Amino acid sequence: MSQHPDAIAPHGGHLINRIVSPAQKQEFLAQGETMPRLQLSDRALCDLILIAIGGFSPLTGFMDQKDYDPVVTDMRLGNGLPWSVPITLPVSEEIAEPLKEGSWVRLDDTEGKFVGVLELTQKYRYNKALEAVNVYRTEDQKHPGVKVLYEQGPINLAGPIWLLDREAHPQFPDYQIDPAQSRELFREKGWKSIVAFQTRNPIHRAHEYITKCALESVDALFLHPLVGVTKGDDIPADVRMRCYEILMEKYYPKDRVILAINPAAMRYAGPREAIFHALLRKNYGCTHFIVGRDHAGVGDYYGTYDAQHIFEEFEPGELGIVPMKFEHAFFCKLTKSMATTKTSPSNPDQRIHLSGTKVREMLRNGELPPPEFSRPEVAAELARAMRVAVESY
């Protein structure tokens, strides 16, 4: 097997690029008014972009049934390659009915702007209950991922896509580093081992501790917070990014850490999404991936460390990227430092760890999280954002 020039090959061996050339773009624009139009949801738009930039390599479009079925039941694409979350384009029967397989479909964003095209190769029905039970481990529609699933249309449209433009992110253009660019950066810096960290929450001391523990054994850290669609009560992306900027400025080594945005939408699929997030970071060029407590979880739908156990369902080396598994970290009053049960001699009464829910409650009540939980500068930023939210409400 030939050596890949990067630290790790993309999933499937080749980084996908589905962004059109200027000439192709002009052709599509000329035909755009005659194509049937489909308005994408926010999630579908996130997926379109990730497919186009190679974040979802080896996918070149929305899944057809020969990929969808084994992904739902066995966490594998039709060719046997590991893949844990369906990437589909569901629509209503009314929208699907007039669309012809073999034709082009114009894809518009939520405001009606022409953003891409779908070469429609297949329309197929799918079993929502089967997807819910397998992917989310529940049919409870209080689960945000299941809620989206049951509210979407019953027909999936499949086929390769093209993205007309890779536009700068409206909020975080300076942190938009796509897989081709992150791989180039890692090559330029000579990094052979890069660990990625995923979160949809503001970064706190426990996150800082596990990322630094991971950084001790690799060349670099890729901080990659998710800024796509999340739940309404999650802390807004701009607030989370400011918290990262504060920590980057004062608490991380600048020459060994890169902060970039992950434009994916959250599924809240727990263990399945941990695999999905790992493969996504593999495509960005990362060799290792941090999996902490209840990764991508919500409520109490998943066991505390189920997202770590699921990696054992694949053969060693099959995923390519190496999971780095961490226990729940806390501030230990006995040793006066961050620790986990693996390293701390304390009993539960001597540990300080707060949930994101508890922190949000404190902030709403005008209290700052203690310095053992959050760096003071980060706590102040969260408090400021909460005040602004309350005042604007």
Side-chain angles (χ1 to χ4, degrees), residues 198-259:
Q198 145 76 30
T199 180
R200 69 177 197 268
N201 292 313
I203 190 163
H204 51 67
R205 293 288 299 277
H207 295 147
E208 185 188 335
Y209 173 72
I210 62 173
T211 54
K212 286 178 174 175
C213 285
L215 186 51
E216 289 286 2
S217 57
V218 294
D219 293 338
L221 170 67
F222 192 55
L223 289 173
H224 206 211
L226 182 143
V227 299
V229 187
T230 58
K231 293 191 284 94
D233 62 347
D234 280 347
I235 301 280
D238 60 325
V239 177
R240 291 185 277 119
M241 286 300 288
R242 282 200 298 275
C243 294
Y244 273 101
E245 287 172 335
I246 289 165
L247 281 183
M248 288 283 288
E249 186 61 38
K250 295 194 67 172
Y251 296 104
Y252 280 104
K254 291 184 175 56
D255 59 343
R256 296 226 295 146
V257 183
I258 289 176
L259 173 62

Side-chain angles (χ1 to χ4, degrees), residues 142-144 200 231 268 293-294 296-303 357:
K142 291 192 184 74
H143 183 294
R200 69 177 197 268
K231 293 191 284 94
Y268 303 93
R293 181 187 66 90
D294 196 25
V298 63
D300 56 3
Y301 291 101
Y302 311 112
T357 308

Side-chain angles (χ1 to χ4, degrees), residues 57-133:
S57 297
L59 303 188
T60 57
F62 292 100
M63 287 179 177
D64 59 18
Q65 198 159 12
K66 77 174 182 346
D67 280 330
Y68 171 83
D69 286 346
V71 164
V72 169
T73 55
D74 303 319
M75 292 194 291
R76 293 186 184 274
L77 296 169
N79 63 6
L81 199 66
W83 194 272
S84 57
V85 170
I87 303 299
T88 57
L89 184 55
V91 296
S92 67
E93 290 177 324
E94 294 72 26
I95 288 172
E97 200 277 323
L99 300 177
K100 301 284 186 286
E101 291 178 354
S103 67
W104 292 99
V105 178
R106 166 177 163 166
L107 303 177
D108 289 356
D109 67 12
T110 51
E111 268 137 39
K113 182 186 172 191
F114 186 8
V115 291
V117 290
L118 167 73
E119 184 185 346
L120 182 61
T121 57
Q122 189 183 36
K123 303 186 288 187
Y124 62 97
R125 289 185 177 276
Y126 63 102
N127 184 328
K128 290 187 181 185
L130 186 69
E131 183 175 328
V133 168

